[in-house]
Amino acid sequence: QVQLVESGGGLVQAGGSLRLSCAASGSTFSINNMGWYRQAPGKQRELVATISSGGSTNYANSVKGRFTISRDNAKNTLYLQMNNLKPEDTAVYYCKCEGLYYYTWGQGTQVTVSS
């Protein structure tokens, strides 16, 4: 079993930056891919960015050039650096990890961008 805990959310003005963290614990040796997803009020959860165990990354078009996903395997931590934030980035951000036969979600962290 793997447990995920996100942190780093908050209120920021448009154009500002935030860095989200996701700390993994438990059977972390089994984690392959990790990613960030977000869900705005009244909308479906959507992919923001993913990163493989080898470091390959993938981004939603809406965040390319503004967000950077990274992972520190020694610290079992996933990061999302978010720059030039826009009001439409407002959402609950969730961390997800995948193993060979499972996936796990964190509890989410709120990001609010004011205009």
Side-chain angles (χ1 to χ4, degrees), residues 9-97:
L11 174 64
V12 64
Q13 287 189 332
S17 298
L18 282 175
R19 187 193 195 203
L20 304 183
S21 299
C22 173
S25 61
S27 302
T28 57
F29 61 88
S30 66
I31 297 174
N32 293 327
N33 299 328
M34 300 189 76
W36 289 98
Y37 294 74
R38 66 187 181 187
Q39 187 166 17
K43 294 188 176 181
Q44 289 189 334
R45 192 171 299 188
E46 63 177 6
L47 180 148
V48 175
T50 62
I51 184 167
S52 71
S53 56
S56 297
T57 58
N58 178 53
Y59 294 92
N61 287 333
S62 59
V63 307
K64 280 182 181 177
R66 300 188 298 123
F67 291 10
T68 302
I69 189 171
S70 62
R71 63 193 286 178
D72 186 332
N73 292 327
K75 295 183 178 180
N76 297 317
T77 303
L78 178 71
Y79 302 100
L80 185 68
Q81 177 66 43
M82 305 186 293
N83 298 328
N84 190 22
L85 282 159
K86 304 176 181 180
E88 51 263 43
D89 294 319
T90 295
V92 177
Y93 283 70
Y94 297 91
C95 172
K96 180 184 179 184
C97 75

